[in-house]
Amino acid sequence: MSANPLASKIAAPYARALFDFSVEKNIMHQITADFQNLEIFLNESSELTEYLSNPIVSQEAKRAVLTKALEPQLNTETFKFLMVLVERDRINLLESVISNYLELVYETASIKTIEVITAFAFSNTQKNTLIEKLKELTNAREIRLVVTVEPSLIGGFLIKTESKVIDFTIKNQLQQLAKHLDAVLEI
């Protein structure tokens, strides 16, 4: 669920090439695990993301930082791929490449990514119950929940899939009630 559509479009061929390569070499699980961990790491390390996206920083400097920070933790092929992105001045698209790659993997494995925005964090029981209900509704083998806590919703939650938005928030219900009251009071 990449935020920038242009970056996603540019990143798509890189993600597809890596996906095809990982399938051909039978290393999809290793690269997927690397990318899942890398996605979390980049979300927690905004300084690294900003550094890699900075056009003033040289390729050599970016290569050195990635080598020092990531090479020991990543599969050799994953690290080589990162170096290709650096060489082609596309390392700034890393987050979009990761997102596109993981979408390809999840699609292949019949795993649906569903975004849930909630007023309060879910307990594990609530999360598992929601996953089971979503599996039934979508006929997916697995569900990957991306949960965002947004206190302004007051209560309830909002579910976003590729094509649908289901709104169970108290904020939405209050807005609907206000519209209804406006309509009734105008008569």
Side-chain angles (χ1 to χ4, degrees):
M1 297 190 180
S2 183
N4 182 343
L6 180 61
S8 182
K9 190 169 184 111
I10 296 168
Y14 290 95
R16 171 53 77 180
L18 181 63
F19 176 79
D20 291 344
F21 174 79
S22 70
V23 169
E24 180 182 314
K25 297 292 183 183
N26 200 24
I27 55 173
M28 186 190 336
H29 293 296
Q30 294 95 318
I31 292 177
T32 301
D34 284 347
F35 270 11
Q36 287 170 329
N37 293 331
L38 199 51
E39 183 177 45
I40 293 165
F41 180 69
L42 291 173
N43 286 337
E44 293 173 355
S45 175
S46 60
E47 301 87 20
L48 178 61
T49 306
E50 289 171 18
Y51 184 81
L52 294 174
S53 297
N54 189 337
I56 297 171
V57 178
S58 71
Q59 287 184 357
E60 294 77 30
K62 291 177 183 179
R63 199 175 292 116
V65 165
L66 288 173
T67 301
K68 187 172 185 177
L70 299 176
E71 188 175 25
Q73 280 82 32
L74 298 176
N75 174 297
T76 309
E77 299 302 331
T78 305
F79 186 75
K80 285 180 188 175
F81 179 76
L82 295 182
M83 292 299 104
V84 167
L85 291 178
V86 171
E87 288 170 24
R88 295 189 178 175
D89 282 326
R90 295 295 191 207
I91 195 69
N92 59 318
L93 300 174
L94 181 56
E95 289 179 292
S96 292
V97 171
I98 290 171
S99 178
N100 276 296
Y101 175 84
L102 292 176
E103 284 176 24
L104 289 169
V105 170
Y106 298 150
E107 185 180 312
T108 301
S110 186
I111 298 172
K112 295 263 190 230
T113 300
I114 297 178
E115 186 177 358
V116 177
I117 303 168
T118 177
F120 302 99
F122 288 134
S123 69
N124 284 339
T125 307
Q126 291 170 322
K127 200 180 282 188
N128 291 337
T129 303
L130 182 58
I131 287 171
E132 290 306 314
K133 289 291 183 194
L134 291 170
K135 278 183 189 177
E136 289 174 21
L137 292 171
T138 62
N139 295 323
R141 272 195 359 228
E142 290 295 322
I143 298 288
R144 177 179 175 254
L145 279 186
V146 177
V147 179
T148 306
V149 176
E150 180 61 51
S152 70
L153 297 178
I154 305 169
F157 56 92
L158 179 84
I159 299 173
K160 290 183 181 180
T161 64
E162 296 155 359
S163 60
K164 290 184 182 177
V165 176
I166 304 169
D167 195 339
F168 294 113
T169 61
I170 292 177
K171 181 179 178 180
N172 180 53
Q173 291 173 7
L174 290 172
Q175 288 171 341
Q176 296 296 326
L177 181 61
K179 284 180 188 175
H180 178 70
L181 287 175
D182 283 345
V184 169
L185 294 176
E186 285 182 7
I187 295 176

